[in-house]
């Protein structure tokens, strides 16, 4: 095999596309010639595919374990183990238990059950479940996928939150910007967490929800992690952060740069070489792969910079370049977060939430008229409370007996927009409700969204739905009302029954006065 | 060891099943990874893995305990893949035969310990992902989600999702390479 230099990034790009099954013919040929021409390329290919397989195994191991546990419930029912014993097992141990409880040679083995998932529907990965299936099939354990999920409410699997991605930034200004592929972004367009931007030409100004303004210089690839964090894969960015945005962070492959009230720029190339330069104020840099003698991070002040040549290399101090990528921010109007309180945040079980009231609904059960909502103990079908983020609120600390079914209960909260330019305000709520949301109003005016009711047998409440407030805002005090529908099974059920709400908000806007920003 | 039934297939006993399962479980990453790198198609790789596992089980009485199960399994996997190409046509695999052989040689040369070390490194590198990236990896690889669903849920285009996914994979890969290199040093 002939040894020659190859472009590792290009190779990984091709392999990644191949794994996603979107490699065209010419790219297939390119990949083949790369792999045939260089042994190191072949090695990288092998390792990359292996990582892809391992990722599938890692992410699905819990699912696979649950499948295994469910599949041997039948054996348990015959007295071959206990539920507690099973819950305590690792994936491998569960398979071993399945083997121990498999029929011995003198017992009839069990064939592949009808209904084993054989579909070819386009999913990223599902082989670990197949591996488990194959192993269990071979040793004669009762099949997996045809087993109906245990409908009892004692399913011990904790519910995982599902949240639609929140808007964390917006496009503020574009100068000759051309994006990768056919992507286009409009001025003012909201960008959501996890979104990756690849700028091929020009400049793009991005306003982050936390109050940091960032300029992407082409060519650059940047991913938005949250309102106060971005990952620079390669390219150059300049950041000017408002006073209240201190802590804004730019991650690169080798260096983490944390703003401490400043203007700075960061550049990264694909070989892992990174530079950070402080134009004003201070930043803290934390090497991710390099070593710093005796400490984890380094404080840089105005005029100072650092460079990491390659992964693992020591940090090299530089005199900061004040020009170059230090873009001008002629109209600096950073976003400022708007406090709208998530339900139950920072409170304990049983506390009244003074920011949220239940103002309307039929009397009966736990509800007797307007009152503060109370942080309640979540039902086992509810997503678990996260006190420092959001919690379920209801009429009392206990969900049962609950409230009148087939009724609407109105929850209300207020927030203040004094000092904000209303045309720039972004407010997005994520709501969970037992059993659904019929209407949301801002200052008495209904907002547009798709109402929902979750009321299936053994309904789980873990999937947040998004509600965006785009108009109807006023300067000063604003009121949000949420009409929650408390349902009941068509086949009947206890009356009264549980009724609860959980809300999380992302809200920000540009202040009218900007003098205090930096 | 398995006992033959009248149809000539081994009847699973607890002992032989346990031995086989131990070996298959210990080597499944290596076997599946090898098959996947040849066909680069999820569904085909899953089917081929399952076929390979069944052949391995049927022939398990021929396997000499104490020898390299993974190496034996890769030989069976090679035959299974070539049989697949013969019956399904070359259109299902886009690499040339020369490259398939080269990939297999590379897979066979990979030490099982290295695969395990890389897997350990992956676990550590996953912990360094941001929560947003970690969540996306979890969703994309959970075996339950279709790409269209993930893209729709994330409020972005499929192309944008692929871009992000590639960035995360590359970050993880570079992290694994770095850790592995440090360990070797």
């Amino acid at each position: 095999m002939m040894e020659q230099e190859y472009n590792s990034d290009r190779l990984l790009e091709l392999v990644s596309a191949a794994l996603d099954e979107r490699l065209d013919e010419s790219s297939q040929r390119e990949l083949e010639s790369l792999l045939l021409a260089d042994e190191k390329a072949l090695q990288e290919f092998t390792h990359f595919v292996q990582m892809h397989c391992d990722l599938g195994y890692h992410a699905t191991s819990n699912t696979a374990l649950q499948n295994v546990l469910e599949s041997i419930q039948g054996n348990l029912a015959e007295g071959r183990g206990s539920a507690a014993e099973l819950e305590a097992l690792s994936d491998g141990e569960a398979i071993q238990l399945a083997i121990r409880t498999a029929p011995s040679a003198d017992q009839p083995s069990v064939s592949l059950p009808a209904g084993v998932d054989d579909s070819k529907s386009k999913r990223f990965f599902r082989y670990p479940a197949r591996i488990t299936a194959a192993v269990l099939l071979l040793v004669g354990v009762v099949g997996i996928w045809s087993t109906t999920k245990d409908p009892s409410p004692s399913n011990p699997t904790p519910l995982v939150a599902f949240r639609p991605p929140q808007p964390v930034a917006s496009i503020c200004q574009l100068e000759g910007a051309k994006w990768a592929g056919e992507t286009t972004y409009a001025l003012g367009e909201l960008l959501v967490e996890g979104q990756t931007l690849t700028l091929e030409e020009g400049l793009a100004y991005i306003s982050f929800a936390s109050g940091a303004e960032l300029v992407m210089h082409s060519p650059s690839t940047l991913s938005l992690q949250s309102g106060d964090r971005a990952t620079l894969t390669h390219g150059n960015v300049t950041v000017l952060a408002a006073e209240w945005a201190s802590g804004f962070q730019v991650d690169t492959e080798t260096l983490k740069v944390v703003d401490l009230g400043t203007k700075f720029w960061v550049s990264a190339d694909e070989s892992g070489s990174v530079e950070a330069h402080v134009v004003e104020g201070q930043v803290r840099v934390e090497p991710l792969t390099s070593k710093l003698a005796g400490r984890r991070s380094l404080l840089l002040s105005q005029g100072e910079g650092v460079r990491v040549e390659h992964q693992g290399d020591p940090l090299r101090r530089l005199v900061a370049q004040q020009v170059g990528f230090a873009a001008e921010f002629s109209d600096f109007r950073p976003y400022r977060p708007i406090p709208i309180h998530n339900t139950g945040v920072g409170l304990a079980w049983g506390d009244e939430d003074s920011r949220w009231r239940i103002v309307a609904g039929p009397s009966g059960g736990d509800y007797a008229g307007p009152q503060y909502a109370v942080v309640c103990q979540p039902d086992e079908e509810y997503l678990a409370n996260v006190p420092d983020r959001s919690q379920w609120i209801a009429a009392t600390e206990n969900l049962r007996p609950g409230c009148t079914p087939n009724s609407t209960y109105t929850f209300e909260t207020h927030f203040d927009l004094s000092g904000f330019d209303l045309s720039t305000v972004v407010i997005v709520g994520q709501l969970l409700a037992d059993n659904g949301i019929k209407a949301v109003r801002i200052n008495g005016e209904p907002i547009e969204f798709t109402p929902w009711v979750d009321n299936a047998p053994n309904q789980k409440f873990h999937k947040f739905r998004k509600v965006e407030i785009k108009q109807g805002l006023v300067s000063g005090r604003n009121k949000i009302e949420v009409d929650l529908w408390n349902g009941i099974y068509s086949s009947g059920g206890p009356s009264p029954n549980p009724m609860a709400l959980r809300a999380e908000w992302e809200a920000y806007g540009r202040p009218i006065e900007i003098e205090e920003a930096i | 060891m398995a006992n033959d039934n009248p149809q000539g297939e081994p009847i699973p006993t607890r002992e032989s099943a346990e031995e086989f399962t131990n070996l298959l479980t210990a080597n499944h990453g290596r076997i599946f990874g090898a098959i996947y790198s040849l066909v680069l198609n999820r569904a085909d790789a899953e089917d081929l893995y399952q076929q390979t596992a069944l052949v391995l089980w049927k022939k398990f009485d021929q396997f000499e305990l104490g020898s390299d199960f993974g190496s034996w399994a890769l030989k069976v996997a090679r035959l299974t893949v070539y049989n697949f190409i013969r019956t399904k046509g070359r259109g299902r695999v886009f690499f040339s035969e020369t490259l398939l052989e080269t990939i297999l040689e590379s897979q066979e040369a990979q030490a099982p310990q290295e695969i395990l070390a890389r897997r350990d490194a992956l676990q550590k590198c996953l912990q360094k992902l941001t929560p947003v990236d970690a969540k996306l990896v979890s969703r994309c690889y959970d075996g339950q989600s279709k790409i269209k669903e993930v893209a729709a849920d994330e409020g972005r285009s499929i192309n944008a999702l692929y871009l992000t996914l590639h960035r995360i994979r590359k970050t993880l890969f570079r992290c694994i390479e770095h850790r592995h290199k440090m360990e070797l040093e």
Side-chain angles (χ1 to χ4, degrees):
Chain A
M1 184 171 292
M2 218 172 74
E3 288 289 330
Q4 65 177 47
E5 281 299 312
Y6 69 99
N7 182 336
S8 171
D9 285 326
R10 177 62 183 157
L11 173 74
L12 297 189
E13 195 181 331
L14 290 169
V15 182
S16 214
L19 297 175
D20 294 330
E21 294 167 33
R22 53 191 188 91
L23 206 59
D24 58 32
E25 267 186 43
S26 68
S27 301
Q28 286 176 19
R29 284 195 296 275
E30 187 185 349
L31 177 59
E32 168 132 0
S33 52
L34 270 174
L35 295 178
L36 283 171
D38 195 302
E39 201 162 328
K40 280 184 187 163
L42 184 66
Q43 224 172 42
E44 277 209 337
F45 166 81
T46 304
H47 292 155
F48 197 82
V49 175
Q50 193 70 52
M51 181 193 77
H52 179 67
C53 297
D54 288 342
L55 274 171
Y57 184 77
H58 168 86
T60 53
S61 58
N62 284 336
T63 310
L65 174 59
Q66 287 307 317
N67 286 336
V68 172
L69 296 182
E70 285 177 19
S71 75
I72 52 185
Q73 287 295 316
N75 290 347
L76 284 176
E78 294 166 27
R80 291 172 175 168
S82 72
E85 182 187 354
L86 274 176
E87 282 174 34
L89 295 179
S90 69
D91 202 348
E93 288 167 337
I95 293 172
Q96 289 303 317
L97 177 59
I99 292 162
R100 289 203 302 276
T101 57
S104 56
D106 57 342
Q107 291 174 295
S109 61
V110 182
S111 59
L112 180 68
V116 166
D117 178 13
D118 230 353
S119 71
K120 296 273 194 269
S121 57
K122 176 122 179 166
R123 288 178 166 81
F124 279 99
F125 231 96
R126 57 196 163 89
Y127 90 88
R130 286 295 192 90
I131 289 166
T132 312
V135 171
L136 295 177
L137 165 66
L138 289 164
V139 298
V141 173
V142 177
I144 296 174
W145 283 272
S146 62
T147 308
T148 306
K149 199 174 166 78
D150 178 6
S152 73
S154 58
N155 184 347
T157 311
L159 292 172
V160 177
F162 175 85
R163 291 180 175 86
Q166 288 281 48
V168 293
S170 67
I171 298 284
C172 174
Q173 188 181 332
L174 297 170
E175 292 180 10
K178 181 175 177 299
W179 304 93
E182 294 173 2
T183 310
T184 56
Y185 296 104
L187 278 182
E189 183 166 337
L190 295 182
L191 306 170
V192 298
E193 55 189 329
Q195 194 162 350
T196 297
L197 311 174
T198 298
L199 183 68
E200 291 183 338
E201 291 175 18
L203 295 177
Y205 289 68
I206 298 165
S207 298
F208 280 78
S210 61
E213 299 278 298
L214 180 147
V215 187
M216 280 181 81
H217 305 255
S218 63
S220 288
T221 296
L222 184 82
S223 297
L224 315 182
Q225 303 298 342
S226 63
D228 61 1
R229 190 171 182 182
T231 300
L232 178 66
T233 306
H234 71 89
N236 304 281
V237 295
T238 310
V239 176
L240 178 56
E243 186 187 1
W244 54 82
S246 180
F248 182 83
Q249 185 173 318
V250 177
D251 295 341
T252 66
E253 203 170 321
T254 51
L255 207 63
K256 184 195 292 184
V257 184
V258 183
D259 162 72
L260 299 173
T262 193
K263 181 177 179 182
F264 64 95
W265 62 269
V266 182
S267 70
D269 69 27
E270 304 218 359
S271 71
S273 170
V274 175
E275 285 187 24
H277 296 247
V278 183
V279 181
E280 292 170 23
Q282 286 187 319
V283 301
R284 186 190 305 117
V285 294
E286 186 182 321
L288 298 174
T289 55
S290 313
K291 289 171 186 158
L292 271 177
R295 51 187 170 169
R296 291 185 57 190
S297 62
L298 188 67
L299 194 67
L300 296 182
S301 297
Q302 183 171 335
E304 295 180 324
V306 288
R307 177 179 175 83
V308 180
E309 199 66 48
H310 298 291
Q311 283 196 8
D313 284 357
L315 283 185
R316 193 156 59 85
R317 282 180 173 272
L318 304 169
V319 175
Q321 292 177 31
Q322 301 286 326
V323 290
F325 297 110
E328 290 303 316
F329 295 86
S330 53
D331 181 21
F332 183 54
R333 295 183 68 213
Y335 281 128
R336 183 166 200 152
I338 298 167
I340 305 182
H341 291 274
N342 295 349
T343 54
V345 65
L347 301 175
W349 173 40
D351 285 351
E352 279 188 346
D353 188 336
S354 61
R355 318 279 185 175
W356 284 89
R357 284 168 54 80
I358 308 174
V359 295
S363 296
D366 291 333
Y367 185 72
Q371 62 159 93
Y372 285 114
V374 178
V375 176
C376 64
Q377 184 81 331
D379 194 82
E380 56 203 357
E381 311 291 359
Y382 288 17
L383 183 68
N385 280 338
V386 182
D388 61 0
R389 181 166 186 162
S390 71
Q391 304 192 81
W392 289 93
I393 54 173
T396 68
E397 63 192 54
N398 295 311
L399 280 168
R400 292 184 172 78
C403 297
T404 308
N406 287 333
S407 305
T408 298
Y409 289 85
T410 302
F411 288 70
E412 181 182 294
T413 191
H414 295 85
F415 63 98
D416 192 353
L417 287 180
S418 298
F420 282 94
D421 174 353
L422 297 185
S423 68
T424 67
V425 169
V426 175
I427 299 176
V428 177
Q430 309 230 39
L431 305 180
L432 278 175
D434 178 358
N435 292 88
I437 302 295
K438 289 283 194 183
V440 178
R441 290 177 296 282
I442 179 74
N443 301 317
E445 295 297 318
I447 68 163
E448 281 185 24
F449 79 108
T450 307
W452 73 88
V453 174
D454 290 328
N455 204 16
N458 301 308
Q459 177 72 50
K460 307 282 190 284
F461 300 97
H462 63 124
K463 187 171 181 175
F464 286 88
R465 261 87 154 204
K466 193 154 78 173
V467 172
E468 192 172 349
I469 301 176
K470 295 177 179 168
Q471 46 198 339
L473 300 167
V474 296
S475 185
R477 187 176 157 92
N478 288 256
K479 179 172 74 176
I480 298 174
E481 293 167 289
V482 178
D483 286 348
L484 182 150
W485 175 255
N486 187 34
I488 193 169
Y489 294 144
S490 55
S491 57
S495 177
N497 66 12
M499 180 280 295
L501 173 72
R502 186 160 166 181
E504 298 179 359
W505 299 92
E506 179 76 26
Y508 52 90
R510 298 188 196 279
I512 297 168
E513 300 293 333
I514 59 168
E515 286 77 10
E516 58 176 302
I518 48 178
Chain B
M1 231 1 71
N3 302 312
D4 281 349
N5 68 8
Q7 283 75 44
E9 292 192 0
I11 295 170
T13 63
R14 288 181 189 181
E15 295 73 24
S16 61
E18 189 163 345
E19 277 164 8
F20 180 75
T21 309
N22 281 339
L23 289 165
L24 187 65
T25 305
N27 286 279
H28 74 77
R30 189 179 175 198
I31 304 166
F32 188 86
I35 294 172
Y36 196 95
S37 63
L38 296 175
V39 296
L40 291 179
N41 176 286
R42 199 174 47 253
D44 287 345
E46 287 166 0
D47 289 347
L48 286 165
Y49 177 88
Q50 204 157 322
Q51 285 171 29
T52 302
L54 284 165
V55 173
L56 291 172
W57 173 240
K58 283 179 184 170
K59 307 273 183 194
F60 191 51
D61 56 346
Q62 297 169 19
F63 174 69
E64 189 181 334
L65 283 176
S67 62
D68 185 349
F69 182 86
S71 178
W72 178 57
L74 288 186
K75 288 184 175 66
V76 173
R78 173 200 296 245
L79 293 174
T80 310
V81 171
Y82 277 112
N83 190 41
F84 168 80
I85 293 171
R86 198 174 59 246
T87 53
K88 302 282 183 183
R90 280 219 56 85
R92 296 290 284 270
V93 178
F94 56 72
F95 287 147
S96 67
E97 203 163 311
T98 312
L99 183 54
L100 291 180
E101 280 300 319
T102 312
I103 292 171
L104 269 167
E105 282 170 17
S106 167
Q107 292 282 1
E108 281 176 13
Q110 202 178 9
Q113 294 83 350
E114 188 186 346
I115 294 175
L116 293 177
R118 286 181 168 277
R119 195 172 295 157
D120 285 347
L122 172 64
Q123 297 292 333
K124 293 186 177 81
C125 294
L126 279 165
Q127 289 166 15
K128 294 180 80 172
L129 288 182
T130 63
V132 173
D133 285 352
K135 180 185 153 201
L136 194 67
V137 167
S138 181
R139 284 216 69 202
C140 287
Y141 283 91
D142 69 1
Q144 311 292 318
S145 310
K146 294 178 187 173
I147 183 168
K148 275 185 187 170
E149 293 167 356
V150 178
D153 290 344
E154 297 287 320
R156 60 178 99 174
S157 70
I158 291 174
N159 275 346
L161 183 66
Y162 277 134
L163 266 178
T164 304
L165 196 56
H166 171 58
R167 173 185 58 77
I168 300 171
R169 282 177 186 149
K170 201 169 89 170
T171 303
L172 286 171
F173 185 71
R174 298 281 184 231
C175 173
I176 293 169
E177 294 285 292
H178 176 69
R179 282 187 168 273
H180 192 59
K181 192 176 150 196
M182 300 283 270
E183 274 174 21
L184 290 178
E185 286 170 1

